[in-house]
Amino acid sequence: MRILHRGVVALILTLAPACALASFDPPDGNLQNTQSAVEQLFALANQTRATYGLGPLKWDPALAAGALQHGIRMTQEGSLAHQYRGEPDVTFRASRAGAHFSLIEENIAIGPYAAGIHQGWMNSLGHRANLLNPAIDRVGIAVLSRGGALYAVADYARAVPVLTPTQVEAAFAAMLRARGVTVLRDANGARALCSTSGRFNPTDGASFLMRWQGSDVTELPSDLLRRVASGEYRQAAVGSCPAQLASGGFTAFRVAVLLYGANSASLESR
């Protein structure tokens, strides 16, 4: 049996729902549908993670679709590789299939049966680290049978929710309010600054601008937290805009936050 793993690929800046395993029909009549092997590898992954006290992985159909495309290419090549000539890498394959993530990693193998492939991954430090990574929460698996061998692809990821700019702004606003900062109703200025990268010229009493780009909108960036904790600021404006130069197929959000000092004139809040 031959196995090959790909190390963690993560978003440097700093949901898919669970569903039934989707069946597929390979385009080549010589390829056999091996849904039972997919289900077995999925079950074995979660059983093994539970043994190590790790949370279960939820099935991601978009990751599975991206894995299937690579699995088909593997059967055509008859060899193991994470990227063949002219093929996008795993980040683009998964993103193109509709997955949203901040971290992604991949295990591949050619073997005679599913349980043996899983055990081979567990016996390899790199594959084992991928499967038991506590940071991942989603998986998509594809297995194709050809010539008596199983070609398996498992793509693991940390999912990122699909949010609109308004939802991103609301998430930041809620975290700021929880720390005693009033969020202004007018977000136009912050939105305009979000889409730029130039030097900040204080206007309208704002004395600090933070531009941030990343995938986690559940915590305020550390620099912004320090500013808020200083007690120097009482009001803020939050604006979101499209991410700039996001790496590969990773999902990222971009936000600008303007902070107004305690001595700034009171502005209309929301």
Side-chain angles (χ1 to χ4, degrees), residues 181-198:
V181 177
T182 299
V183 178
L184 304 178
R185 185 183 302 277
D186 185 359
N188 290 330
R191 289 169 182 164
L193 288 168
C194 178
S195 60
T196 68
S197 57

Side-chain angles (χ1 to χ4, degrees), residues 55-147:
L57 301 176
K58 293 183 179 180
W59 182 259
D60 189 316
L63 287 175
L68 174 59
Q69 291 305 309
H70 187 60
I72 293 172
R73 182 67 183 269
M74 282 172 56
T75 65
Q76 294 169 345
E77 299 287 342
S79 61
L80 282 175
H82 287 286
Q83 184 178 13
Y84 299 100
R85 183 184 298 274
E87 181 189 34
D89 70 10
V90 62
T91 63
F92 282 100
R93 293 196 305 264
S95 176
R96 185 173 59 187
H100 296 268
F101 50 88
S102 60
L103 175 154
I104 190 166
E105 54 193 27
E106 180 175 83
N107 284 353
I108 59 178
I110 302 174
Y113 53 93
I117 288 173
H118 174 77
Q119 192 57 51
W121 285 343
M122 290 302 296
N123 290 340
S124 164
L125 290 178
H127 297 84
R128 179 190 180 97
N130 281 351
L131 199 153
L132 298 181
N133 187 346
I136 62 173
D137 56 15
R138 299 290 190 274
V139 66
I141 302 170
V143 182
L144 293 166
S145 175
R146 188 169 204 174

Side-chain angles (χ1 to χ4, degrees), residues 33 100 167:
N33 185 327
H100 296 268
Q167 290 172 321

Side-chain angles (χ1 to χ4, degrees), residues 28-71:
D28 186 335
N30 294 322
L31 300 180
Q32 296 180 12
N33 185 327
T34 54
Q35 187 64 18
S36 61
V38 171
E39 294 172 356
Q40 188 175 1
L41 284 174
F42 181 48
L44 287 170
N46 278 333
Q47 290 169 13
T48 302
R49 285 176 65 87
T51 300
Y52 287 86
L54 298 171
L57 301 176
K58 293 183 179 180
W59 182 259
D60 189 316
L63 287 175
L68 174 59
Q69 291 305 309
H70 187 60

